[in-house]
Amino acid sequence: MTSAPASPQKFAVIGLGSMGLGMALSLLRAGHEVTGYDVSAAATEAFVADGGATAGSAADAAGNADAVLSVVVNAAQTEALLFGPNGIAEVMPEGAVFLSSATMDPDVARRLAARLEAMGRLYLDAPISGGPLRSAKGELTVMASGSPAAFERARPCLDAIALKVYELGDAAGAGAAFKMINQLLAGVHIAAACEAVAFAARQGLDLGKVYEVITASAGNSWMFGDRVPHILDGDYRPKSAVDIFVKDLGIVQDMARTAKFPVPLSAAALQMFLAAAGSGMGREDDASLARVYAALAGVDLPGHPA
């Protein structure tokens, strides 16, 4: 059991979805005072059921917080949370820190940080990796960059939610850039795993045995080991949705175009995620790419006959 900290902090967690809920509960376990907010009544009810407190708006949650942990979907939602109507930037206490976990273009992270810091608040560029299970255990990986003051103010939060915190620079943008490299690889690996499994099905192979052999061989990847069981179970309930990689690999393409750098593998992977989303699978598990390949080839997958 996590012991209470010497100096409990007041935290606001904005976004109580599959990742944010686990992060908020990790902060509670560490002995902090946590107020959550989500636009979804079901999400706030889940937090309350686990002992959390909620506010009627993001501004109400952030008004007296030492740190605000933002677990929204993207840059647009992050900007609206900070600076939109009823934005929290003006109500956050001076010197409080905003931890931004959304995956976004590094240039956007730098712009948001500059705007918030000009108002006397701190900004930590802090995208996350690990998934809902590790979030619930307080064992995320955080790829963070920001000023020394932002790190100092955010430290109690980071200690509670993360197993590994990488300090990647003294200004916003570096954390976002590291996350995009991770997402490039993750998207390509998911697409490759799904392609391989569907191709194995076309060869008439026992897919359970394919999983056993490949996970013990050089062709394995973390994504193959993690996602292929979803395919074997025929279970595409979203642990990580297709639409996430439509967004993230789209950001990779935008960054690469600006940098005039070729990224053909991630471009090909993006097309498969777009095909899955266009087929109505956008909110289903990203292992759904295997169903796109199977449909193209007319082969059966567990629970999904051709």
Side-chain angles (χ1 to χ4, degrees):
M1 180 179 293
T2 303
S3 59
S7 301
Q9 303 285 302
K10 294 181 179 180
F11 293 121
V13 179
I14 312 300
L16 297 170
S18 59
M19 298 294 286
L21 177 61
M23 296 160 82
L25 293 175
S26 295
L27 290 167
L28 278 180
R29 285 196 304 273
H32 297 293
E33 181 180 332
V34 184
T35 302
Y37 174 74
D38 197 286
V39 295
S40 164
T44 56
E45 288 167 6
F47 186 46
V48 170
D50 284 319
T54 59
S57 69
D60 289 342
N64 66 348
D66 298 299
V68 177
L69 180 55
S70 170
V71 202
V72 298
V73 172
N74 55 29
Q77 289 188 6
T78 304
E79 184 166 17
L81 172 63
L82 283 170
F83 306 115
N86 302 312
I88 69 171
E90 292 186 354
V91 302
M92 287 173 61
E94 188 169 350
V97 62
F98 180 83
L99 291 86
S100 175
S101 69
T103 303
M104 65 180 71
D105 188 303
D107 287 340
V108 177
R110 284 187 278 267
R111 175 170 56 81
L112 295 177
R115 188 173 174 185
L116 187 64
E117 289 166 355
M119 300 173 66
R121 281 75 173 174
L122 301 169
Y123 186 106
L124 192 70
D125 181 13
I128 54 178
S129 182
L133 293 178
R134 284 174 55 187
S135 175
K137 296 178 181 179
E139 296 179 352
L140 291 170
T141 295
V142 180
M143 296 162 255
S145 64
S147 68
F151 271 108
E152 181 180 1
R153 196 67 183 267
R155 188 69 58 196
C157 179
L158 297 172
D159 288 345
I161 67 172
L163 183 64
K164 293 183 179 180
V165 177
Y166 290 99
E167 299 187 20
L168 302 170
D170 59 5
F178 271 85
K179 179 61 184 291
M180 294 318 306
I181 300 303
N182 181 79
Q183 295 306 90
L184 184 160
L185 289 165
V188 169
H189 290 172
I190 291 168
C194 292
E195 181 176 295
V197 170
F199 187 47
R202 182 60 180 266
Q203 302 304 307
L205 303 181
D206 179 330
L207 297 186
K209 185 61 68 174
V210 169
Y211 180 75
E212 178 184 347
V213 170
I214 296 303
T215 53
S217 303
N220 191 35
S221 68
W222 192 94
M223 285 299 185
F224 187 96
D226 185 77
R227 297 307 203 265
V228 173
H230 306 177
I231 302 168
L232 298 180
D233 294 339
D235 183 0
Y236 297 94
R237 288 173 294 179
K239 297 178 178 64
S240 174
V242 166
D243 281 342
I244 291 174
F245 280 96
V246 171
K247 170 180 69 73
D248 290 357
L249 291 180
I251 295 172
V252 170
Q253 299 305 306
D254 292 341
M255 293 170 61
R257 184 165 51 250
T258 298
K260 294 182 172 60
F261 186 89
V263 283
L265 296 182
S266 63
L270 174 58
Q271 294 305 308
M272 296 308 299
F273 283 102
L274 285 168
S279 299
M281 304 176 195
R283 301 186 69 177
E284 299 185 46
D285 193 84
D286 51 31
S288 294
L289 265 65
R291 289 189 283 166
V292 177
Y293 281 106
L296 291 171
V299 299
D300 295 339
L301 291 176
H304 293 271

